[in-house]
């Protein structure tokens, strides 16, 4: 579960992987996700053509001087996998975080290879957002959420806000297990949480509280938009029981 270092490029990358005729199984704002043609248990994420340049052009003035690579979600995610909690941490991460296998060259540009989380039929696993939309916060998913939050507190793996569409449900027999497939890393300017446990605990706890706040909105009547609802979120600090455990 621990990785000392990730390969810059996989061995097979000497040959370019053909993706032009392939259909992505998922599409986000900035990236396309394809099933790896040689490893069905992995996926390849590629940046949408021209997206980094577009993000750079529409960014605040103080960011426009950054290199275009700064706006590349793949490179940001790869850097997030280098955080100390993953490369040096004592808590195995791969039960709840999709593993990263490095880079490959594709006909759509550089591709970042990560785990493909499948359901029992071999199709893309259901997102948490889709699941709670159908079943609400039932007992199996509440248990999965509790286990995932426990993992974050023990590992101190740093994430951005935990969006339900960035988490999928892996099936372990009759149990469900949450796996983060996007949103790893920090969006803060000063990365103190990467190097100081006090700030890491606060960062993780805030993300957990925000996550549970978001889930309650997901299963509510949603008569108030999330944008307006989020304004009411207040971080309650690190619970004393958690501080004592540390």
């Amino acid at each position: 579960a621990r990785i000392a270092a990730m390969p810059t490029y996989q061995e097979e990358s000497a040959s370019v992987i053909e993706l032009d005729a392939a259909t992505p199984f998922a599409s986000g704002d900035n990236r396309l996700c394809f099933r790896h043609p040689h490893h069905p248990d992995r996926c390849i994420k590629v940046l949408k053509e021209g997206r980094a340049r577009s993000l750079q052009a529409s960014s605040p003035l103080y960011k426009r001087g950054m290199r275009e690579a700064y706006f590349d979600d793949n490179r940001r995610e790869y850097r997030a996998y280098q955080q100390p909690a993953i490369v040096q941490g004592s808590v195995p991460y791969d039960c709840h975080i999709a593993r990263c296998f490095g880079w490959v060259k594709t006909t759509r540009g550089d591709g970042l290879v990560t785990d493909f989380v499948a359901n029992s039929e071999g199709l893309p696993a259901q997102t948490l957002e889709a699941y709670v939309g159908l079943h609400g916060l039932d007992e199996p998913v509440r248990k999965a959420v509790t286990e995932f939050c426990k993992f974050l507190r023990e590992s101190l793996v740093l994430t951005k806000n935990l969006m339900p569409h960035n988490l999928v449900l892996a099936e372990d027999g009759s149990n469900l297990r949450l796996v983060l497939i996007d949103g790893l890393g920090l969006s803060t300017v000063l990365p103190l949480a990467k190097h100081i446990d006090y700030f890491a605990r606060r960062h993780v706890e805030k993300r957990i509280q925000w996550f549970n706040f978001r889930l309650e909105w997901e299963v509510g009547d949603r008569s108030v938009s999330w944008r307006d609802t989020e304004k009411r979120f207040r971080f309650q600090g690190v619970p004393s029981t958690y501080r004592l455990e540390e």
Side-chain angles (χ1 to χ4, degrees):
R2 293 173 61 185
I3 48 174
M6 292 180 194
T8 302
Y9 280 93
Q10 297 179 17
E11 291 180 4
E12 67 190 69
S13 64
S15 60
V16 177
I17 295 177
E18 171 62 54
L19 291 180
D20 285 339
T23 301
F25 68 84
S27 174
D29 290 338
N30 302 325
R31 294 186 290 182
L32 300 172
C33 298
F34 296 88
R35 196 81 176 259
H36 198 304
H38 309 311
H39 299 282
D41 60 344
R42 301 178 186 180
C43 69
I44 303 175
K45 299 177 181 180
V46 296
L47 199 67
K48 289 182 176 179
E49 186 175 0
R51 187 59 178 156
R53 192 178 309 112
S54 173
L55 290 170
Q56 183 184 40
S58 62
S59 67
L61 189 60
Y62 72 92
K63 284 188 176 181
R64 291 182 195 170
M66 301 284 193
R67 293 186 304 164
E68 191 174 305
Y70 173 83
F71 301 91
D72 184 330
D73 275 6
N74 267 353
R75 302 198 181 281
R76 287 185 178 187
E77 183 171 76
Y78 183 76
R79 287 196 297 270
Y81 274 101
Q82 314 307 315
Q83 62 178 281
I86 289 180
V87 297
Q88 300 168 6
S90 59
V91 178
Y93 78 93
D94 56 356
C95 281
H96 293 290
I97 307 290
R99 293 173 299 173
C100 178
F101 299 95
W103 298 91
V104 291
K105 293 183 181 297
T106 83
T107 53
R108 292 176 179 261
D110 290 344
L112 188 64
V113 182
T114 63
D115 277 324
F116 174 82
V117 185
N119 63 16
S120 58
E121 298 176 350
L123 300 173
Q126 190 174 37
T127 66
L128 178 60
E129 180 180 55
Y131 184 95
V132 298
L134 293 171
H135 307 288
L137 290 172
D138 60 10
E139 186 58 31
V141 85
R142 284 187 183 276
K143 182 180 177 182
V145 167
T146 298
E147 288 298 317
F148 180 71
C149 293
K150 179 183 177 184
F151 156 76
L152 290 178
R153 289 184 174 118
E154 291 177 348
S155 67
L156 296 182
V157 168
L158 303 174
T159 72
K160 300 174 185 176
N161 282 341
L162 295 162
M163 302 296 293
H165 64 264
N166 286 336
L167 288 145
V168 297
L169 290 158
E171 301 170 12
D172 290 338
S174 59
N175 296 317
L176 299 175
R177 171 170 46 87
L178 281 176
V179 180
L180 186 70
I181 58 172
D182 195 5
L184 196 64
L186 288 169
S187 55
T188 54
V189 177
L190 294 174
L192 294 175
K194 284 179 64 175
H195 308 291
I196 303 172
D197 279 357
Y198 169 80
F199 292 106
R201 284 195 295 273
R202 287 186 61 84
H203 179 94
V204 167
E205 190 62 32
K206 185 175 182 179
R207 291 329 179 262
I208 288 173
Q209 291 178 23
W210 187 96
F211 179 42
N212 283 289
F213 185 80
R214 171 69 188 230
L215 288 178
E216 291 300 327
W217 177 82
E218 290 280 349
V219 298
D221 63 16
R222 298 174 66 156
S223 58
V224 180
S225 71
W226 171 244
R227 177 174 292 184
D228 290 335
T229 301
E230 187 181 22
K231 294 174 183 176
R232 300 201 302 268
F233 172 73
R234 296 293 182 273
F235 176 44
Q236 302 301 313
V238 179
S240 58
T241 53
Y242 179 32
R243 290 199 297 267
L244 287 173
E245 287 174 4
E246 293 295 324

